[in-house]
Amino acid sequence: MPEFDLVLHNGRIHTLETPNRTVEALAVAGDRVAAAGAAATLLAARGAHTRVIDLAGATVVPGFFDAHPHLDRMGLRDLCGVAIGHCRSVAEICDAVRAAAARTPPGEWIVTLPMGAPPDDYVFDPRQLREGRFPDRRDLDRAAPDHPVYIRSPWGWWSRLPLPSVANSRALAAAGVDADTALPPKVEMLRDATGAPTGVFLERNWAPVLEYTLFRCVPRFTYEDRVAGLRHAVRETVRAGTTAAFEGHGLTPQLFDAYRRLEAAGELPLRMQLPLSVPSAAFGDAKIGALLAHWAPRLAGRGSAAGARGLLAEEGICLDVADPGTARIIATGYPYEQWAGHFYQALPHERLVALGVAAARLGLRVSTLVCYELERVLAAFEEIDAQVGIRDRRWVAVHVTEATPAQIARIKALGLVATVTPGFMYMARDRFNLQALGARGTPIRALLDAGVPVALSTDGVPHSMLFALWEALARWDNDGQARLGESGLTREEALRLATVAGHTLTWNEATRGPLAAGMAADFVVLDDDPLTCALERLRTLAVLRTFVGGREVHGPDA
C-alpha cells in the first residue's frame, strides 16, 4: 500500500461504485484515491507526512459534474457593469447610477448590470419595483446628466420575458434613436403621451439583440472582462462543489483562449471540456467547412489537452438550430458574443446534415441543442449516421426537455448522450412548455430505463448542482406551486447523475467518478448526507470542502 498524502475519517464516504459502498474513511495518494474503507485500517497506514482531516460527521461524495454550466456568463452577470442587483426601487437604481456618475469622467458611458438579482430574480415586471414602474430616461438624466447611461437587459433564460433595458437621453442620442426609429423584431419601445421614447425597451427575444442593433454604440464586454468574469466563475463553481464540467455550447475562440489563460496561470481549479460553437449563421458552408478542417487537429476524436495540468480539454463542436431571425442579427456581430454568442447558429435541416457529415468525416463529435427541436435533430442525425457512422461517438443531445418513447429509442440507437437541466422545471411556465407537459417533461427516468447515458446540468441558473439534484427528485414548479409528476428516481440514482454519470461525456468514466482505488481524487465534503437528509434540505446543503486531483480547491485549507 503506497504512503498516503491524505486521509479523511470520522464521517460517511459514499463511493458510488457499483454497487455503492458507504465507508468510514478515504485515503489519497497523489491525485488518485488510494483506498476507501475502515478508518482504523487507513489511519494505521498513514505516514509521517500524511495530512489527516477529521470529518466530524460530515459526508463525502464524488465531486459534482455539471454537463452545462455557462461559466463565462456567470462572471459577466456578476461583475461586468455597475451593480444594481440590490436595488428594489427606481430611487435605489438612480442612487446607484448617481454614485457611478460621481466616479466616472463626464461624457463616458455608465453601463449597469440588469435590474434584479442573479441568477434568476431579474426584473421583468414593473410591479417588482417599489414604484410599480421601470426607471425611464428622465430618471437617469437626473441621476447622471453628463453621461450616457444604459441599463442592460438580462440574458433571456435567466429571467422571464419581456427583458427590460433603459437608456437615458444622452444614450438615445448617441445611438441615434428617436420616435421614428425602426425597431428590431420582438422589441417594443415605450413612449410617453407625446409619442417620444421614454427610454424603456422591452424585448421578447430570448437571446437579446438590442446591443447588436439600436445600441451597437454601448461599450461591449472586453476580452479582459471575460477573463476576469471566468476567473470569478470558476472559483464560485468549486465553492458549490463542482469538480468537472462539459460546456454543451456557447464557446468561441476568445473563450477558449480565456480558459487557456487561466489554466496556464494555475487559476483553473476544476476540470473543463470545451466544444467549439460554429458560427454557421455568419458564414456559408464552404467557410464553415474550412473552419472545421482548421480546428479538427485540436478537436477531433477525444480532443486534446489544452494545458500542462491536465484540467482543460478541447473537443468537438456545437451545431445549433436556434431561431433564425435572432441568429441572423447576432451573426452580424461575429465574433462578438455579448452575453452568449452561440446564438449565431440556426441551421435548417439540410445544412445541419451537410455540416454534420463534414464534422463526422473529420472525426469531430457534435453537440446540438434539442429543446423544442428533438424530432428535427434526430432526423438529421439519422441521415448523417447513414453516411458516416456516429453510433460509437457519443454525440450529445443538449437540453432534452421532452421525448416520446419512440424518440428515446432513437436516441439510444444513435448512441447519443443526453444532458438534462432539471432547473428548467422550477420556472416551468416559461420553459419549453414544461408546465403543460407535466409528468411527461424532463423524462430522466424514461431515458435511464432505455439505457441512454444521462448527465445533469445547471445551465448556470443557479450554478449549484445540489439544486439540480434536488430538482431532479422534487420536480417542483415554483410558478404553479406543484410537482410535475414523480421523478421515479432513487436518491442514489439522482446522486450518480449529478456526480459520476457526466464523465461519460468526457470519455473519462474509467478514470474519474466513483471513489474507488485508482480513480481521480475528485470529491466534496458536505455538511449532511444527500442520501438520507430531508428532500427540501438537499438543495441547501453546505459544501465544506472541494478537492480536485487530491488538492483542496475550496475549504479552510484551500
Side-chain angles (χ1 to χ4, degrees):
M1 185 177 291
E3 180 174 332
F4 302 145
D5 295 302
L6 172 66
V7 173
L8 301 96
H9 72 107
N10 191 27
R12 290 175 301 279
I13 291 92
H14 298 306
T15 66
L16 292 191
E17 299 164 277
T18 304
N20 176 49
R21 290 192 300 139
T22 300
V23 298
E24 300 173 324
L26 182 73
V28 174
D31 62 355
R32 298 280 148 184
V33 173
T41 301
L42 299 188
L43 288 170
R46 62 184 167 178
H49 303 291
T50 301
R51 176 186 171 201
V52 176
I53 295 176
D54 184 341
L55 293 169
T59 300
V60 175
V61 300
F64 293 111
F65 187 108
D66 191 338
H68 191 28
H70 280 311
L71 299 187
D72 55 294
R73 292 189 207 167
M74 187 206 308
L76 296 179
R77 77 181 181 212
D78 287 357
L79 298 182
C80 295
V82 175
I84 59 173
H86 61 288
C87 300
R88 290 294 178 264
S89 67
V90 172
E92 290 175 352
I93 291 170
C94 289
D95 286 345
V97 170
R98 189 174 294 109
R103 59 181 184 267
T104 304
E108 290 189 9
W109 280 85
I110 295 171
V111 181
T112 80
L113 291 167
M115 293 181 283
D120 60 357
D121 191 26
Y122 288 104
V123 171
F124 64 94
D125 185 322
R127 291 171 295 183
Q128 292 172 262
L129 297 175
R130 196 167 298 131
E131 295 87 350
R133 66 177 181 88
F134 296 123
D136 61 22
R137 65 182 174 91
R138 292 184 176 86
D139 296 313
L140 300 182
D141 289 347
R142 288 190 290 271
D146 300 320
H147 302 79
V149 180
Y150 186 70
I151 298 176
R152 273 196 166 104
S153 74
W155 178 248
W157 280 270
W158 299 338
S159 185
R160 307 174 196 279
L161 300 183
L163 309 175
S165 55
V166 189
N168 75 346
S169 297
R170 282 180 175 263
L172 290 169
V177 173
D178 59 26
D180 298 321
T181 298
L183 298 175
K186 300 182 183 178
V187 172
E188 177 185 2
M189 180 169 67
L190 301 191
R191 301 170 186 270
D192 63 20
T194 71
T198 67
V200 179
F201 295 82
L202 302 179
E203 182 160 3
R204 290 174 172 82
N205 295 301
W206 287 104
V209 302
L210 272 174
E211 290 184 47
Y212 292 94
T213 54
L214 302 188
F215 289 98
R216 294 185 194 90
C217 58
V218 171
R220 293 180 160 188
F221 297 125
T222 67
Y223 172 67
E224 292 303 325
D225 288 335
R226 296 189 189 278
V227 172
L230 195 59
R231 183 181 294 116
H232 162 79
V234 297
R235 288 197 298 259
E236 290 301 304
T237 299
V238 295
R239 284 171 57 87
T242 296
T243 60
F246 174 88
E247 194 61 272
H249 66 130
L251 291 161
T252 59
Q254 187 178 78
L255 286 170
F256 271 47
D257 289 344
Y259 271 105
R260 282 177 165 243
R261 180 165 158 183
L262 292 190
E263 209 281 343
E267 295 179 310
L268 184 66
L270 75 162
R271 305 182 193 278
M272 285 296 306
Q273 185 141 324
L274 314 177
L276 179 73
S277 276
V278 177
S280 55
F283 303 110
D285 287 358
K287 175 69 171 179
I288 296 299
L291 285 173
L292 295 182
H294 171 78
W295 281 89
R298 281 169 63 176
L299 304 180
R302 299 189 180 183
S304 58
R309 297 191 306 144
L311 294 175
L312 184 62
E314 300 169 344
E315 182 261 338
I317 63 168
C318 172
L319 299 175
D320 201 2
V321 291
D323 175 61
T326 301
R328 278 193 296 271
I329 293 170
I330 293 177
T332 63
Y334 182 78
Y336 183 63
E337 55 222 287
Q338 208 239 359
W339 289 123
H342 59 276
F343 274 77
Y344 45 60
Q345 290 208 69
L347 290 167
H349 177 80
E350 295 77 12
R351 289 195 74 199
L352 179 55
V353 171
L355 294 178
V357 167
R361 286 177 174 155
L362 289 166
L364 292 162
R365 175 166 64 162
V366 173
S367 300
T368 302
L369 281 76
V370 296
C371 306
Y372 290 117
E373 299 283 2
L374 177 59
E375 180 58 35
R376 184 153 75 87
V377 172
L378 287 176
F381 280 13
E382 286 163 345
E383 285 193 33
I384 295 164
D385 181 60
Q387 298 181 59
V388 186
I390 65 170
R391 297 184 181 223
D392 60 350
R393 302 192 186 188
R394 301 187 189 180
W395 285 26
V396 186
V398 180
H399 290 326
V400 177
T401 58
E402 175 185 7
T404 66
Q407 288 172 327
I408 291 174
R410 292 160 67 193
I411 291 172
K412 171 65 174 173
L414 285 166
L416 306 185
V417 181
T419 73
V420 179
T421 307
F424 288 159
M425 291 185 283
Y426 196 73
M427 295 189 283
R429 185 180 65 218
D430 287 314
R431 295 296 183 272
F432 308 112
N433 203 36
L434 286 171
Q435 198 167 74
L437 287 169
R440 292 183 292 116
T442 318
I444 299 173
R445 179 75 266 167
L447 289 163
L448 290 176
D449 287 346
V452 175
V454 178
L456 302 188
S457 67
T458 65
D459 210 39
V461 189
H463 65 277
S464 166
M465 284 298 295
L466 282 163
F467 182 89
L469 169 61
W470 165 77
E471 186 65 288
L473 290 160
R475 297 181 62 88
W476 180 251
D477 171 17
N478 202 52
D479 291 335
Q481 291 290 293
R483 292 180 69 142
L484 299 175
E486 297 298 321
S487 73
L489 301 173
T490 67
R491 287 286 184 98
E492 184 180 316
E493 285 176 318
L495 185 59
R496 286 181 185 278
L497 291 174
T499 57
V500 173
H503 294 286
T504 298
L505 276 169
T506 60
W507 308 93
N508 288 303
E509 69 272 19
T511 57
R512 299 177 191 163
L515 298 178
M519 302 292 276
D522 300 350
F523 53 89
V524 295
V525 181
L526 304 173
D527 71 339
D528 204 344
D529 188 343
L531 294 185
T532 60
C533 70
L535 179 61
E536 192 58 28
R537 170 99 170 91
L538 191 55
R539 62 173 167 167
T540 59
L541 294 182
V543 178
L544 305 177
R545 300 175 189 259
T546 305
F547 288 79
V548 175
R551 183 172 69 95
E552 188 167 352
V553 295
H554 158 64
D557 300 313

